[in-house]
């Protein structure tokens, strides 16, 4: 699936950035598929191999301790049996507001606007189809282990964490969507973290449906981090069974 059809980079969404701090992430994805899920959710061979390559940028910055601005953008190229494309993907800007937080748990709301590009603005759509979108998202997360204060450190929540996000995307030129994303992260030591993620959603009126899972490892080098993993579509309807490597470079500032 294209970048627009799945969640953004692996960060603990419910926990906003502290005031005056932020991070950027550059991410490379190379998704390929020989089969796809048909309208009944069964796997069938595609007419030809599908390839979607994405180089994406995600950035966020804490305006206040409870308000974080975010930016997403990417450049895409790919091909299938019918089309070959290259161009800008959707550009999105939004704001996350942390509604509530205690020592372990945080809850946030996000609102964002996206401008469609020449690439795939949805993983199930042809390149260039889809215009501007609005998204609202609610997320809740909880940290485990580590200091009871739960204060954000270099990694985010202390020790390990889980978060669940539910979103509604209102689209022009494509059907509206409901999305549900989940992330679990655990620290092996001060420099290593493992992540397990699931990205799912469905278009309105019985349209396409998707579910992908991703496992990755993150290695910390001071203010820099490197992430490497694999994403795989495991279920869906009218979507490709895409899978491939995910590599990212993080920088905190």
């Amino acid at each position: 699936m294209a970048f627009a059809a799945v969640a953004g980079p692996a960060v603990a969404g419910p926990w906003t950035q502290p005031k005056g701090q932020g991070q950027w992430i550059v991410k490379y994805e190379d998704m390929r598929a020989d089969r796809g899920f048909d309208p009944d959710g069964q796997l069938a061979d595609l007419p030809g191999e599908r390839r979607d390559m994405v180089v994406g940028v995600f950035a966020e910055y804490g305006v206040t301790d409870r308000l974080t601005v975010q930016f997403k953008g990417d450049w895409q190229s790919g091909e299938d049996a019918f089309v070959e494309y290259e161009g800008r993907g959707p550009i999105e800007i939004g704001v996350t507001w942390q509604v509530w937080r205690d020592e372990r748990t945080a809850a946030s709301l996000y609102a964002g606007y996206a401008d469609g590009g020449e690439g795939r603005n949805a993983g199930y759509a042809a390149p260039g189809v889809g215009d501007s979108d609005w998204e609202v998202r609610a997320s809740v997360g909880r940290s485990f282990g580590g200091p009871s204060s739960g204060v954000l450190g270099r990694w985010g929540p202390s020790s390990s964490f889980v978060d669940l996000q539910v979103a509604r995307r209102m689209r022009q030129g494509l059907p509206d969507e409901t999305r549900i994303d989940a992330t679990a992260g655990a620290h092996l030591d001060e420099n290593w973290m493992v992540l397990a993620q699931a990205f799912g959603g469905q278009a309105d009126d019985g349209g396409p449906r998707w579910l992908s899972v991703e496992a990755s490892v993150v290695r910390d080098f001071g203010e820099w981090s490197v992430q490497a993993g694999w994403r795989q579509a495991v279920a869906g309807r009218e979507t490709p069974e895409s899978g491939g490597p995910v590599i990212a470079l993080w920088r905190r500032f």
Side-chain angles (χ1 to χ4, degrees):
M1 297 182 183
F3 183 81
V6 298
V11 291
W15 288 272
T16 50
Q17 290 286 336
K19 180 180 179 179
Q21 298 183 32
Q23 68 174 340
W24 56 258
I25 302 173
V26 177
K27 197 169 191 179
Y28 169 81
E29 307 171 4
D30 187 4
M31 301 291 123
R32 299 173 185 263
D34 294 315
R35 302 187 300 174
F37 299 98
D38 66 17
D40 296 320
Q42 302 299 312
L43 283 171
D45 290 337
L46 296 176
E49 183 188 46
R50 169 166 162 163
R51 178 183 62 84
D52 295 295
M53 188 276 289
V54 178
V55 178
V57 176
F58 171 89
E60 60 178 359
Y61 179 79
V63 179
T64 72
D65 287 339
R66 298 181 61 185
L67 195 68
T68 293
V69 295
Q70 297 181 354
F71 169 84
K72 302 176 187 177
D74 62 52
W75 184 266
Q76 307 177 8
S77 68
E79 60 182 331
D80 57 27
F82 307 104
V83 65
E84 182 174 350
Y85 71 96
E86 182 174 8
R88 177 182 67 82
I91 293 177
E92 181 172 339
I93 187 168
V95 177
T96 296
W97 173 50
Q98 191 169 79
V99 178
W100 179 82
R101 178 175 175 178
D102 65 11
E103 293 182 346
R104 296 291 187 188
T105 307
S108 296
L109 296 175
Y110 168 84
Y113 171 81
D115 178 64
E118 301 82 22
R120 293 192 190 275
N121 297 307
Y124 52 82
V129 176
D131 300 314
S132 58
D133 304 333
W134 287 94
E135 179 173 297
V136 291
R137 178 177 294 262
S139 59
V140 60
R142 183 168 177 81
S143 61
F144 305 91
S148 60
S149 64
V151 174
L152 293 180
R154 291 187 302 176
W155 288 103
S158 60
S159 191
S160 58
F161 70 93
V162 295
D163 83 66
L164 178 67
Q165 304 184 21
V166 179
R168 182 69 177 162
R169 197 167 185 94
M170 288 71 71
R171 319 199 71 164
Q172 293 186 7
L174 288 168
D176 294 346
E177 300 170 359
T178 299
R179 303 181 179 187
I180 301 177
D181 305 325
T183 299
H187 300 274
L188 304 180
D189 58 26
E190 292 184 356
N191 296 318
W192 291 92
M193 179 172 65
V194 293
L195 291 169
Q197 299 174 273
F199 313 118
Q202 179 173 325
D204 284 1
D205 302 322
R209 178 187 301 165
W210 60 91
L211 174 62
S212 292
V213 295
E214 180 178 318
S216 61
V217 177
V218 183
R219 176 68 162 90
D220 181 34
F221 298 94
E223 298 303 317
W224 297 82
S225 298
V226 176
Q227 177 188 5
W230 186 274
R231 181 182 306 137
Q232 181 65 51
V234 295
R237 184 173 62 200
E238 300 179 63
T239 53
E241 188 195 25
S242 297
V246 177
I247 301 172
L249 180 66
W250 305 15
R251 175 67 164 89
R252 291 164 292 281
F253 58 88

